[in-house]
Amino acid sequence: MATILLGAQWGDEGKGKVVDHLSAKADLVVRFQGGNNAGHSLWVGGKKTVLHLIPSGILHSRTRCLIGEGVVLDPQVLFHEISGLKQAGVFQDERERILVSERAHLILPVLKEVDLIRENSSRGTSGHIGTTGRGIGPAYEAKARRVGIRVIDLYSDDATLLGKLDRLHDAFAHHFDPDTLNEIRVRTWALIPGFRRSLEPLMVDSTALLKHAHDSGQEVLFEGAQGVMLDLDHGTYPYVTSSFTTAPSAGIGAAFPKILRSSRVIGVAKVYLTRVGSGDFPTEMRGDHDPDEVRIGEAIRKAGGEFGATTGRPRRIGWQDLVALRHAVEVGGIDEIALMKGDVLCGLDEMGGVFKVATAYEGADGTRSDRFPARAEILSKLKPVYENFPIWKHAHPDDPAFATLIARIEDFIGVPVRFVGFGPDREQILER
Ligand code: IMP
């Protein structure tokens, strides 16, 4: 049986906690897209561990974790996370727990440099994406330009690999002066022996692995990164990540799609909304429609610890948006929702006892729509049409106010809220 877990918003929905909960039963957890732009903060034995690449399922001792071919892999980040997990006593031998697809593409130094150069040079313009600066976009670009380096390519003979590295560096040469590019080439070549040594024992034919998991009836959990609203096709393009974050992508980024034929797709959504990086969203608390919103947003950011786990950037805060969530359910292929962090709003005086939920948008000409628009540049100009809900005492389905909110969400988006997260601890999640 396979389960696919996706972020149903703009990332940072609290997926790590749901993965941790579900992977207690999983034999294999698979990352199928993205790279170390993701970030999950986990507490292990009283010590905080932030994972960007290795699936959060690693904390359950019987679970193995696969980094699939749809992922772009920064080997330095992988080795750093492995050593942190070893120090925390999570495992002794990574070969028993971590597997890497031989077809996954590598994030090499030139790709990280290009990401940062582009971000810095576009600052203040509409072309600024606000990426995590980890080389994710350039790595997918290199893959699509057919100059990427895959894990398996490390094991070509030196001359062949050098030729491939030259093609990669040449493709991005226009960003650098010749001396800088040469320095990057030399620095990259110096990393190769370590990459070869450390990745070889982890490298697998992931199709064979997943076929075996399927044939032997294993529980497999596919862990999505980012969120559906950041999907390259279906998100708020161009303010999106460079991979595909919807359920069908799990069949592409992890190479045995048959395993997904009877899968269950869970979308993780926060009760309120957050977003980092550029790109508008209609229900952002910017104070355009209500001056108090800025203060409310700041209170939620503080109470919810809404700062990026990868970059530390303050997350932008917004009211719940069911138009966006229904879009995510439809394009993401989501069957059920895990609703997270409702507890953050309990007892927050700044809320004034009211929680707003958008169910339509109004354009400048007064026309209303309940469909999510394809043009990202109009999002900040739309006026959300809100329904008001009383704030709950407990973010629990037994609380009548929270139950009313859940019922409205289910009615609007057409799929059930199956999980509710009601606090930060591992146990504070229930399945309805
Ligand atoms: P990139 O994925 O680093 O190229 O960044 C592209 C956009 O996706 C930026 O707006 C990032 O802030 C956003 N993004 C990427 N990964 C995450 C994530 O894990 N959570 C939230 N936003 C993300």
Side-chain angles (χ1 to χ4, degrees), residues 250-286:
I252 299 167
F256 189 68
K258 201 167 164 184
I259 200 169
L260 298 170
R261 278 204 189 139
S262 58
S263 58
R264 161 197 196 198
V265 184
I266 302 169
V268 187
K270 266 193 294 222
V271 166
Y272 50 92
L273 275 180
T274 62
R275 178 165 198 176
V276 284
S278 310
D280 291 308
F281 64 107
T283 61
E284 182 171 6
M285 295 179 187
R286 304 192 327 171

PDB file of all heavy atoms in Angstrom, residues 250-286:
ATOM      1  N   ALA A 250       4.883  11.832  -8.083  1.00  0.00           N
ATOM      2  CA  ALA A 250       5.484  10.736  -7.316  1.00  0.00           C
ATOM      3  C   ALA A 250       5.744   9.530  -8.219  1.00  0.00           C
ATOM      4  O   ALA A 250       6.692   8.771  -8.007  1.00  0.00           O
ATOM      5  CB  ALA A 250       4.575  10.334  -6.161  1.00  0.00           C
ATOM      6  N   GLY A 251       4.916   9.384  -9.261  1.00  0.00           N
ATOM      7  CA  GLY A 251       5.094   8.266 -10.182  1.00  0.00           C
ATOM      8  C   GLY A 251       6.227   8.493 -11.166  1.00  0.00           C
ATOM      9  O   GLY A 251       6.709   7.568 -11.799  1.00  0.00           O
ATOM     10  N   ILE A 252       6.638   9.746 -11.293  1.00  0.00           N
ATOM     11  CA  ILE A 252       7.728  10.077 -12.214  1.00  0.00           C
ATOM     12  C   ILE A 252       9.044  10.126 -11.445  1.00  0.00           C
ATOM     13  O   ILE A 252      10.057   9.574 -11.863  1.00  0.00           O
ATOM     14  CB  ILE A 252       7.451  11.436 -12.902  1.00  0.00           C
ATOM     15  CG1 ILE A 252       6.161  11.347 -13.709  1.00  0.00           C
ATOM     16  CG2 ILE A 252       8.618  11.854 -13.795  1.00  0.00           C
ATOM     17  CD1 ILE A 252       5.626  12.681 -14.172  1.00  0.00           C
ATOM     18  N   GLY A 253       9.005  10.791 -10.295  1.00  0.00           N
ATOM     19  CA  GLY A 253      10.232  10.990  -9.517  1.00  0.00           C
ATOM     20  C   GLY A 253      10.640   9.778  -8.708  1.00  0.00           C
ATOM     21  O   GLY A 253      11.678   9.788  -8.063  1.00  0.00           O
ATOM     22  N   ALA A 254       9.840   8.748  -8.700  1.00  0.00           N
ATOM     23  CA  ALA A 254      10.228   7.503  -8.031  1.00  0.00           C
ATOM     24  C   ALA A 254       9.741   6.403  -8.958  1.00  0.00           C
ATOM     25  O   ALA A 254       8.562   6.303  -9.253  1.00  0.00           O
ATOM     26  CB  ALA A 254       9.562   7.403  -6.672  1.00  0.00           C
ATOM     27  N   ALA A 255      10.676   5.588  -9.424  1.00  0.00           N
ATOM     28  CA  ALA A 255      10.468   4.912 -10.691  1.00  0.00           C
ATOM     29  C   ALA A 255       9.772   3.564 -10.668  1.00  0.00           C
ATOM     30  O   ALA A 255      10.277   2.587 -11.213  1.00  0.00           O
ATOM     31  CB  ALA A 255      11.820   4.761 -11.358  1.00  0.00           C
ATOM     32  N   PHE A 256       8.626   3.462 -10.039  1.00  0.00           N
ATOM     33  CA  PHE A 256       7.822   2.262 -10.222  1.00  0.00           C
ATOM     34  C   PHE A 256       6.364   2.670 -10.012  1.00  0.00           C
ATOM     35  O   PHE A 256       5.745   2.397  -8.988  1.00  0.00           O
ATOM     36  CB  PHE A 256       8.242   1.147  -9.263  1.00  0.00           C
ATOM     37  CG  PHE A 256       7.577  -0.161  -9.579  1.00  0.00           C
ATOM     38  CD1 PHE A 256       7.880  -0.849 -10.751  1.00  0.00           C
ATOM     39  CD2 PHE A 256       6.620  -0.699  -8.729  1.00  0.00           C
ATOM     40  CE1 PHE A 256       7.251  -2.032 -11.065  1.00  0.00           C
ATOM     41  CE2 PHE A 256       5.982  -1.891  -9.027  1.00  0.00           C
ATOM     42  CZ  PHE A 256       6.304  -2.562 -10.202  1.00  0.00           C
ATOM     43  N   PRO A 257       5.796   3.383 -11.010  1.00  0.00           N
ATOM     44  CA  PRO A 257       4.490   4.003 -10.812  1.00  0.00           C
ATOM     45  C   PRO A 257       3.368   3.038 -10.472  1.00  0.00           C
ATOM     46  O   PRO A 257       2.377   3.447  -9.881  1.00  0.00           O
ATOM     47  CB  PRO A 257       4.221   4.731 -12.139  1.00  0.00           C
ATOM     48  CG  PRO A 257       5.329   4.397 -13.058  1.00  0.00           C
ATOM     49  CD  PRO A 257       6.414   3.724 -12.292  1.00  0.00           C
ATOM     50  N   LYS A 258       3.531   1.768 -10.816  1.00  0.00           N
ATOM     51  CA  LYS A 258       2.476   0.803 -10.521  1.00  0.00           C
ATOM     52  C   LYS A 258       2.148   0.772  -9.021  1.00  0.00           C
ATOM     53  O   LYS A 258       1.013   0.513  -8.639  1.00  0.00           O
ATOM     54  CB  LYS A 258       2.949  -0.582 -10.983  1.00  0.00           C
ATOM     55  CG  LYS A 258       1.868  -1.574 -11.207  1.00  0.00           C
ATOM     56  CD  LYS A 258       2.462  -2.756 -11.944  1.00  0.00           C
ATOM     57  CE  LYS A 258       1.566  -3.958 -11.865  1.00  0.00           C
ATOM     58  NZ  LYS A 258       2.210  -5.107 -12.500  1.00  0.00           N
ATOM     59  N   ILE A 259       3.140   1.067  -8.223  1.00  0.00           N
ATOM     60  CA  ILE A 259       2.943   1.028  -6.769  1.00  0.00           C
ATOM     61  C   ILE A 259       1.918   2.080  -6.323  1.00  0.00           C
ATOM     62  O   ILE A 259       1.347   1.997  -5.249  1.00  0.00           O
ATOM     63  CB  ILE A 259       4.297   1.198  -6.033  1.00  0.00           C
ATOM     64  CG1 ILE A 259       4.203   0.676  -4.598  1.00  0.00           C
ATOM     65  CG2 ILE A 259       4.772   2.637  -6.044  1.00  0.00           C
ATOM     66  CD1 ILE A 259       5.556   0.556  -3.915  1.00  0.00           C
ATOM     67  N   LEU A 260       1.666   3.061  -7.203  1.00  0.00           N
ATOM     68  CA  LEU A 260       0.778   4.162  -6.822  1.00  0.00           C
ATOM     69  C   LEU A 260      -0.665   3.956  -7.269  1.00  0.00           C
ATOM     70  O   LEU A 260      -1.515   4.801  -7.019  1.00  0.00           O
ATOM     71  CB  LEU A 260       1.313   5.474  -7.413  1.00  0.00           C
ATOM     72  CG  LEU A 260       2.697   5.851  -6.888  1.00  0.00           C
ATOM     73  CD1 LEU A 260       3.279   7.005  -7.678  1.00  0.00           C
ATOM     74  CD2 LEU A 260       2.624   6.220  -5.425  1.00  0.00           C
ATOM     75  N   ARG A 261      -0.940   2.817  -7.920  1.00  0.00           N
ATOM     76  CA  ARG A 261      -2.280   2.642  -8.494  1.00  0.00           C
ATOM     77  C   ARG A 261      -3.387   2.744  -7.457  1.00  0.00           C
ATOM     78  O   ARG A 261      -4.463   3.249  -7.751  1.00  0.00           O
ATOM     79  CB  ARG A 261      -2.374   1.299  -9.210  1.00  0.00           C
ATOM     80  CG  ARG A 261      -1.783   1.430 -10.579  1.00  0.00           C
ATOM     81  CD  ARG A 261      -2.314   0.420 -11.553  1.00  0.00           C
ATOM     82  NE  ARG A 261      -1.511   0.525 -12.758  1.00  0.00           N
ATOM     83  CZ  ARG A 261      -1.094  -0.492 -13.474  1.00  0.00           C
ATOM     84  NH1 ARG A 261      -1.414  -1.717 -13.131  1.00  0.00           N
ATOM     85  NH2 ARG A 261      -0.365  -0.290 -14.536  1.00  0.00           N
ATOM     86  N   SER A 262      -3.138   2.243  -6.273  1.00  0.00           N
ATOM     87  CA  SER A 262      -4.203   2.332  -5.260  1.00  0.00           C
ATOM     88  C   SER A 262      -3.715   3.162  -4.076  1.00  0.00           C
ATOM     89  O   SER A 262      -3.944   2.818  -2.935  1.00  0.00           O
ATOM     90  CB  SER A 262      -4.612   0.936  -4.809  1.00  0.00           C
ATOM     91  OG  SER A 262      -3.460   0.286  -4.300  1.00  0.00           O
ATOM     92  N   SER A 263      -3.036   4.249  -4.391  1.00  0.00           N
ATOM     93  CA  SER A 263      -2.471   5.026  -3.288  1.00  0.00           C
ATOM     94  C   SER A 263      -3.495   5.989  -2.695  1.00  0.00           C
ATOM     95  O   SER A 263      -4.489   6.328  -3.319  1.00  0.00           O
ATOM     96  CB  SER A 263      -1.258   5.806  -3.774  1.00  0.00           C
ATOM     97  OG  SER A 263      -1.641   6.642  -4.824  1.00  0.00           O
ATOM     98  N   ARG A 264      -3.184   6.417  -1.498  1.00  0.00           N
ATOM     99  CA  ARG A 264      -4.004   7.408  -0.790  1.00  0.00           C
ATOM    100  C   ARG A 264      -3.170   8.676  -0.766  1.00  0.00           C
ATOM    101  O   ARG A 264      -1.976   8.625  -0.457  1.00  0.00           O
ATOM    102  CB  ARG A 264      -4.220   6.821   0.596  1.00  0.00           C
ATOM    103  CG  ARG A 264      -4.628   7.717   1.685  1.00  0.00           C
ATOM    104  CD  ARG A 264      -4.351   6.946   2.999  1.00  0.00           C
ATOM    105  NE  ARG A 264      -5.037   7.558   4.113  1.00  0.00           N
ATOM    106  CZ  ARG A 264      -4.720   7.341   5.389  1.00  0.00           C
ATOM    107  NH1 ARG A 264      -3.752   6.506   5.700  1.00  0.00           N
ATOM    108  NH2 ARG A 264      -5.376   7.930   6.340  1.00  0.00           N
ATOM    109  N   VAL A 265      -3.776   9.812  -1.130  1.00  0.00           N
ATOM    110  CA  VAL A 265      -3.023  11.065  -1.211  1.00  0.00           C
ATOM    111  C   VAL A 265      -3.498  12.012  -0.107  1.00  0.00           C
ATOM    112  O   VAL A 265      -4.673  12.397  -0.059  1.00  0.00           O
ATOM    113  CB  VAL A 265      -3.183  11.739  -2.590  1.00  0.00           C
ATOM    114  CG1 VAL A 265      -2.318  12.995  -2.671  1.00  0.00           C
ATOM    115  CG2 VAL A 265      -2.819  10.765  -3.712  1.00  0.00           C
ATOM    116  N   ILE A 266      -2.591  12.364   0.770  1.00  0.00           N
ATOM    117  CA  ILE A 266      -2.922  13.257   1.885  1.00  0.00           C
ATOM    118  C   ILE A 266      -2.292  14.620   1.620  1.00  0.00           C
ATOM    119  O   ILE A 266      -1.096  14.713   1.341  1.00  0.00           O
ATOM    120  CB  ILE A 266      -2.371  12.692   3.213  1.00  0.00           C
ATOM    121  CG1 ILE A 266      -2.945  11.298   3.469  1.00  0.00           C
ATOM    122  CG2 ILE A 266      -2.689  13.630   4.383  1.00  0.00           C
ATOM    123  CD1 ILE A 266      -2.263  10.553   4.595  1.00  0.00           C
ATOM    124  N   GLY A 267      -3.093  15.661   1.698  1.00  0.00           N
ATOM    125  CA  GLY A 267      -2.577  17.027   1.552  1.00  0.00           C
ATOM    126  C   GLY A 267      -2.501  17.684   2.919  1.00  0.00           C
ATOM    127  O   GLY A 267      -3.472  17.654   3.681  1.00  0.00           O
ATOM    128  N   VAL A 268      -1.354  18.237   3.240  1.00  0.00           N
ATOM    129  CA  VAL A 268      -1.191  18.877   4.548  1.00  0.00           C
ATOM    130  C   VAL A 268      -1.439  20.377   4.388  1.00  0.00           C
ATOM    131  O   VAL A 268      -0.860  21.013   3.495  1.00  0.00           O
ATOM    132  CB  VAL A 268       0.219  18.626   5.120  1.00  0.00           C
ATOM    133  CG1 VAL A 268       0.322  19.149   6.540  1.00  0.00           C
ATOM    134  CG2 VAL A 268       0.543  17.141   5.079  1.00  0.00           C
ATOM    135  N   ALA A 269      -2.319  20.911   5.235  1.00  0.00           N
ATOM    136  CA  ALA A 269      -2.655  22.336   5.154  1.00  0.00           C
ATOM    137  C   ALA A 269      -2.632  22.930   6.555  1.00  0.00           C
ATOM    138  O   ALA A 269      -3.104  22.294   7.502  1.00  0.00           O
ATOM    139  CB  ALA A 269      -4.042  22.510   4.552  1.00  0.00           C
ATOM    140  N   LYS A 270      -2.083  24.134   6.666  1.00  0.00           N
ATOM    141  CA  LYS A 270      -2.191  24.835   7.942  1.00  0.00           C
ATOM    142  C   LYS A 270      -3.559  25.500   8.018  1.00  0.00           C
ATOM    143  O   LYS A 270      -4.160  25.804   6.984  1.00  0.00           O
ATOM    144  CB  LYS A 270      -1.103  25.918   8.038  1.00  0.00           C
ATOM    145  CG  LYS A 270       0.127  25.413   8.746  1.00  0.00           C
ATOM    146  CD  LYS A 270       1.105  26.475   9.150  1.00  0.00           C
ATOM    147  CE  LYS A 270       1.763  27.189   8.030  1.00  0.00           C
ATOM    148  NZ  LYS A 270       3.202  27.421   8.232  1.00  0.00           N
ATOM    149  N   VAL A 271      -4.045  25.748   9.234  1.00  0.00           N
ATOM    150  CA  VAL A 271      -5.330  26.428   9.406  1.00  0.00           C
ATOM    151  C   VAL A 271      -5.245  27.831   8.801  1.00  0.00           C
ATOM    152  O   VAL A 271      -6.164  28.288   8.125  1.00  0.00           O
ATOM    153  CB  VAL A 271      -5.698  26.470  10.905  1.00  0.00           C
ATOM    154  CG1 VAL A 271      -6.820  27.449  11.168  1.00  0.00           C
ATOM    155  CG2 VAL A 271      -6.094  25.070  11.366  1.00  0.00           C
ATOM    156  N   TYR A 272      -4.110  28.508   9.021  1.00  0.00           N
ATOM    157  CA  TYR A 272      -3.871  29.805   8.366  1.00  0.00           C
ATOM    158  C   TYR A 272      -2.883  29.553   7.224  1.00  0.00           C
ATOM    159  O   TYR A 272      -2.508  28.409   6.958  1.00  0.00           O
ATOM    160  CB  TYR A 272      -3.335  30.833   9.374  1.00  0.00           C
ATOM    161  CG  TYR A 272      -2.157  30.344  10.195  1.00  0.00           C
ATOM    162  CD1 TYR A 272      -0.848  30.563   9.772  1.00  0.00           C
ATOM    163  CD2 TYR A 272      -2.349  29.630  11.374  1.00  0.00           C
ATOM    164  CE1 TYR A 272       0.232  30.109  10.513  1.00  0.00           C
ATOM    165  CE2 TYR A 272      -1.276  29.167  12.116  1.00  0.00           C
ATOM    166  CZ  TYR A 272       0.018  29.405  11.683  1.00  0.00           C
ATOM    167  OH  TYR A 272       1.088  28.938  12.412  1.00  0.00           O
ATOM    168  N   LEU A 273      -2.451  30.612   6.560  1.00  0.00           N
ATOM    169  CA  LEU A 273      -1.543  30.434   5.415  1.00  0.00           C
ATOM    170  C   LEU A 273      -0.203  31.095   5.670  1.00  0.00           C
ATOM    171  O   LEU A 273      -0.138  32.128   6.354  1.00  0.00           O
ATOM    172  CB  LEU A 273      -2.138  31.094   4.170  1.00  0.00           C
ATOM    173  CG  LEU A 273      -3.113  30.276   3.354  1.00  0.00           C
ATOM    174  CD1 LEU A 273      -3.588  31.090   2.162  1.00  0.00           C
ATOM    175  CD2 LEU A 273      -2.452  29.003   2.851  1.00  0.00           C
ATOM    176  N   THR A 274       0.846  30.524   5.095  1.00  0.00           N
ATOM    177  CA  THR A 274       2.136  31.211   5.085  1.00  0.00           C
ATOM    178  C   THR A 274       2.774  31.050   3.716  1.00  0.00           C
ATOM    179  O   THR A 274       2.449  30.126   2.967  1.00  0.00           O
ATOM    180  CB  THR A 274       3.118  30.662   6.149  1.00  0.00           C
ATOM    181  OG1 THR A 274       3.394  29.289   5.880  1.00  0.00           O
ATOM    182  CG2 THR A 274       2.598  30.821   7.555  1.00  0.00           C
ATOM    183  N   ARG A 275       3.696  31.952   3.437  1.00  0.00           N
ATOM    184  CA  ARG A 275       4.461  31.864   2.187  1.00  0.00           C
ATOM    185  C   ARG A 275       5.802  32.553   2.415  1.00  0.00           C
ATOM    186  O   ARG A 275       5.862  33.581   3.100  1.00  0.00           O
ATOM    187  CB  ARG A 275       3.668  32.577   1.087  1.00  0.00           C
ATOM    188  CG  ARG A 275       4.384  32.592  -0.222  1.00  0.00           C
ATOM    189  CD  ARG A 275       3.536  32.947  -1.415  1.00  0.00           C
ATOM    190  NE  ARG A 275       4.304  32.469  -2.545  1.00  0.00           N
ATOM    191  CZ  ARG A 275       3.949  32.491  -3.791  1.00  0.00           C
ATOM    192  NH1 ARG A 275       2.787  32.964  -4.121  1.00  0.00           N
ATOM    193  NH2 ARG A 275       4.727  32.022  -4.735  1.00  0.00           N
ATOM    194  N   VAL A 276       6.867  31.993   1.851  1.00  0.00           N
ATOM    195  CA  VAL A 276       8.165  32.696   1.844  1.00  0.00           C
ATOM    196  C   VAL A 276       8.580  32.941   0.401  1.00  0.00           C
ATOM    197  O   VAL A 276       8.109  32.264  -0.507  1.00  0.00           O
ATOM    198  CB  VAL A 276       9.293  31.933   2.576  1.00  0.00           C
ATOM    199  CG1 VAL A 276       9.149  32.031   4.072  1.00  0.00           C
ATOM    200  CG2 VAL A 276       9.375  30.489   2.137  1.00  0.00           C
ATOM    201  N   GLY A 277       9.454  33.888   0.206  1.00  0.00           N
ATOM    202  CA  GLY A 277       9.878  34.210  -1.155  1.00  0.00           C
ATOM    203  C   GLY A 277       8.884  35.154  -1.818  1.00  0.00           C
ATOM    204  O   GLY A 277       7.924  35.613  -1.194  1.00  0.00           O
ATOM    205  N   SER A 278       9.110  35.429  -3.109  1.00  0.00           N
ATOM    206  CA  SER A 278       8.253  36.373  -3.822  1.00  0.00           C
ATOM    207  C   SER A 278       6.964  35.703  -4.260  1.00  0.00           C
ATOM    208  O   SER A 278       6.824  34.489  -4.183  1.00  0.00           O
ATOM    209  CB  SER A 278       8.977  36.896  -5.058  1.00  0.00           C
ATOM    210  OG  SER A 278      10.255  37.352  -4.726  1.00  0.00           O
ATOM    211  N   GLY A 279       6.053  36.533  -4.772  1.00  0.00           N
ATOM    212  CA  GLY A 279       4.787  35.995  -5.260  1.00  0.00           C
ATOM    213  C   GLY A 279       3.684  36.297  -4.269  1.00  0.00           C
ATOM    214  O   GLY A 279       3.818  36.022  -3.071  1.00  0.00           O
ATOM    215  N   ASP A 280       2.614  36.896  -4.786  1.00  0.00           N
ATOM    216  CA  ASP A 280       1.525  37.305  -3.902  1.00  0.00           C
ATOM    217  C   ASP A 280       0.600  36.153  -3.587  1.00  0.00           C
ATOM    218  O   ASP A 280       0.624  35.123  -4.253  1.00  0.00           O
ATOM    219  CB  ASP A 280       0.734  38.431  -4.583  1.00  0.00           C
ATOM    220  CG  ASP A 280       1.573  39.698  -4.645  1.00  0.00           C
ATOM    221  OD1 ASP A 280       2.087  40.097  -3.587  1.00  0.00           O
ATOM    222  OD2 ASP A 280       1.748  40.255  -5.750  1.00  0.00           O
ATOM    223  N   PHE A 281      -0.198  36.366  -2.567  1.00  0.00           N
ATOM    224  CA  PHE A 281      -1.346  35.474  -2.362  1.00  0.00           C
ATOM    225  C   PHE A 281      -2.494  36.329  -1.829  1.00  0.00           C
ATOM    226  O   PHE A 281      -2.270  37.271  -1.056  1.00  0.00           O
ATOM    227  CB  PHE A 281      -1.005  34.261  -1.498  1.00  0.00           C
ATOM    228  CG  PHE A 281      -0.598  34.491  -0.076  1.00  0.00           C
ATOM    229  CD1 PHE A 281      -1.460  34.171   0.973  1.00  0.00           C
ATOM    230  CD2 PHE A 281       0.655  34.978   0.234  1.00  0.00           C
ATOM    231  CE1 PHE A 281      -1.069  34.343   2.292  1.00  0.00           C
ATOM    232  CE2 PHE A 281       1.053  35.145   1.550  1.00  0.00           C
ATOM    233  CZ  PHE A 281       0.184  34.827   2.590  1.00  0.00           C
ATOM    234  N   PRO A 282      -3.718  36.049  -2.272  1.00  0.00           N
ATOM    235  CA  PRO A 282      -4.816  36.987  -2.049  1.00  0.00           C
ATOM    236  C   PRO A 282      -5.119  37.280  -0.586  1.00  0.00           C
ATOM    237  O   PRO A 282      -5.508  38.393  -0.251  1.00  0.00           O
ATOM    238  CB  PRO A 282      -6.013  36.306  -2.725  1.00  0.00           C
ATOM    239  CG  PRO A 282      -5.409  35.408  -3.750  1.00  0.00           C
ATOM    240  CD  PRO A 282      -4.109  34.950  -3.170  1.00  0.00           C
ATOM    241  N   THR A 283      -4.965  36.284   0.306  1.00  0.00           N
ATOM    242  CA  THR A 283      -5.392  36.511   1.692  1.00  0.00           C
ATOM    243  C   THR A 283      -4.233  36.944   2.590  1.00  0.00           C
ATOM    244  O   THR A 283      -4.357  36.883   3.816  1.00  0.00           O
ATOM    245  CB  THR A 283      -6.044  35.234   2.272  1.00  0.00           C
ATOM    246  OG1 THR A 283      -5.055  34.183   2.254  1.00  0.00           O
ATOM    247  CG2 THR A 283      -7.265  34.809   1.483  1.00  0.00           C
ATOM    248  N   GLU A 284      -3.122  37.387   1.994  1.00  0.00           N
ATOM    249  CA  GLU A 284      -1.990  37.834   2.820  1.00  0.00           C
ATOM    250  C   GLU A 284      -2.432  38.991   3.717  1.00  0.00           C
ATOM    251  O   GLU A 284      -3.131  39.909   3.282  1.00  0.00           O
ATOM    252  CB  GLU A 284      -0.828  38.284   1.917  1.00  0.00           C
ATOM    253  CG  GLU A 284       0.374  38.701   2.755  1.00  0.00           C
ATOM    254  CD  GLU A 284       1.623  38.961   1.927  1.00  0.00           C
ATOM    255  OE1 GLU A 284       1.555  38.935   0.681  1.00  0.00           O
ATOM    256  OE2 GLU A 284       2.674  39.191   2.561  1.00  0.00           O
ATOM    257  N   MET A 285      -1.998  38.960   4.970  1.00  0.00           N
ATOM    258  CA  MET A 285      -2.368  40.021   5.927  1.00  0.00           C
ATOM    259  C   MET A 285      -1.432  41.204   5.731  1.00  0.00           C
ATOM    260  O   MET A 285      -0.474  41.389   6.479  1.00  0.00           O
ATOM    261  CB  MET A 285      -2.271  39.479   7.354  1.00  0.00           C
ATOM    262  CG  MET A 285      -3.265  38.376   7.633  1.00  0.00           C
ATOM    263  SD  MET A 285      -3.101  37.762   9.320  1.00  0.00           S
ATOM    264  CE  MET A 285      -4.216  36.374   9.293  1.00  0.00           C
ATOM    265  N   ARG A 286      -1.704  41.974   4.692  1.00  0.00           N
ATOM    266  CA  ARG A 286      -0.841  43.115   4.367  1.00  0.00           C
ATOM    267  C   ARG A 286      -1.439  44.424   4.845  1.00  0.00           C
ATOM    268  O   ARG A 286      -0.868  45.481   4.681  1.00  0.00           O
ATOM    269  CB  ARG A 286      -0.636  43.213   2.853  1.00  0.00           C
ATOM    270  CG  ARG A 286      -0.076  41.929   2.273  1.00  0.00           C
ATOM    271  CD  ARG A 286       0.397  42.039   0.873  1.00  0.00           C
ATOM    272  NE  ARG A 286      -0.352  42.979   0.034  1.00  0.00           N
ATOM    273  CZ  ARG A 286       0.041  43.326  -1.179  1.00  0.00           C
ATOM    274  NH1 ARG A 286       1.153  42.823  -1.666  1.00  0.00           N
ATOM    275  NH2 ARG A 286      -0.678  44.152  -1.908  1.00  0.00           N
TER     276      ARG A 286
END
